[in-house]
Amino acid sequence: MTITGGTAGDVPVDVPRIPAQEAAERELSKPMYHENDPNLLQRGLNRFWEWIGDLFEAASGVTPGGVVGLVAVVVVVLAVIGALWWRLGTPRRAPATSGDSLFADGPRTAAEHRAAAARHAAATQWNPAVQERMRAIVRSLEERALLDPRPGRTADEAAAEAGRALPAHAEGLRSAARAFDDVTYGGRTADEASYRRIEELDTVLERTKPTLEPPATATAFTEAPR
């Protein structure tokens, strides 16, 4: 790099390229040259929006109809996702394999669960009302010795076991268990109608006698002649 003086007759000064570049960088790094530069956050946002713009431009280039076609595709995809979310709710988690998944707050009687369900229903809190009424059903069946008390039993398991003793109400028990799972694990919101169905089932089951297996036929023994 050659630097020439400002007056005639000055001898040109040769400065090596690398030192000259370093000197220029030091000069340009002074704060006076960067007073109006965007801050770190602003630079990050600018880079992000540039990336979004590049991505959108690339996608519109391969989509029939260009930008309008891409917008239409995005709208359709969002509509499908929204419809699936509304129909299926949030992903349901698997029932717990350990611990008490149905009775989460310690042992209580069926009457106590019914009272809690009634309080929630009076306050139009249908999710906890459904949960407490299903617990009341299962606890009542345990109190009547139609179900063996078993920690960790899920609503589905209780419905399946109770359905064998009360076959006429097996479908109602399965439906009540599904409603319990929907509001407890599936992110669904219950309504008054779903609660009233479980309440009616609880009332009917209280008046229903179980179907008992016929006793085994006794084997006759004949005394051998002496």
Side-chain angles (χ1 to χ4, degrees):
M1 178 178 180
T2 302
I3 300 177
T4 304
T7 59
D10 287 342
V11 179
V13 178
D14 291 329
V15 180
R17 182 174 60 85
I18 294 178
Q21 181 179 353
E22 293 175 349
E25 291 175 353
R26 285 195 299 270
E27 178 66 21
L28 293 175
S29 66
K30 293 180 179 179
M32 60 181 295
Y33 296 106
H34 302 281
E35 292 177 352
N36 298 320
D37 288 355
N39 57 33
L40 181 61
L41 177 61
Q42 186 62 47
R43 291 199 299 271
L45 289 174
N46 291 341
R47 293 293 299 275
F48 172 76
W49 288 118
E50 288 175 3
W51 176 77
I52 290 294
D54 294 341
L55 184 64
F56 192 86
E57 183 178 356
S60 64
V62 298
T63 304
V67 175
V68 176
L70 178 61
V71 171
V73 170
V74 171
V75 170
V76 171
V77 170
L78 292 177
V80 171
I81 292 174
L84 290 174
W85 192 276
W86 177 83
R87 179 66 180 85
L88 302 177
T90 55
R92 179 182 299 182
R93 70 173 179 85
T97 56
S98 61
D100 198 341
S101 58
L102 182 59
F103 300 100
D105 54 355
R108 289 192 290 168
T109 65
E112 289 173 328
H113 285 296
R114 290 190 184 105
R119 288 194 300 270
H120 289 304
T124 66
Q125 298 170 344
W126 303 118
N127 277 20
V130 164
Q131 292 170 319
E132 289 298 324
R133 203 74 194 199
M134 182 62 192
R135 290 171 180 143
I137 289 175
V138 176
R139 185 65 78 204
S140 176
L141 294 174
E142 291 177 348
E143 292 172 352
R144 295 169 62 191
L146 298 180
L147 288 178
D148 294 329
R150 177 161 58 83
R153 176 188 278 124
T154 66
D156 291 328
E157 291 170 345
E161 294 171 22
R164 289 191 286 270
L166 302 165
H169 302 287
E171 179 56 36
L173 286 163
R174 286 193 295 269
S175 177
R178 284 195 299 270
F180 178 90
D181 288 344
D182 284 344
V183 301
T184 305
Y185 310 124
R188 297 288 187 86
T189 300
D191 55 16
E192 182 177 4
S194 60
Y195 170 73
R196 297 303 176 191
R197 285 192 294 269
I198 300 177
E199 180 186 42
E200 181 180 359
L201 175 65
D202 184 24
T203 302
V204 171
L205 290 178
E206 280 290 284
R207 301 194 299 262
T208 302
K209 293 182 179 181
T211 300
L212 302 178
E213 295 181 359
T217 305
T219 303
F221 292 95
T222 304
E223 184 179 0
R226 295 180 180 178

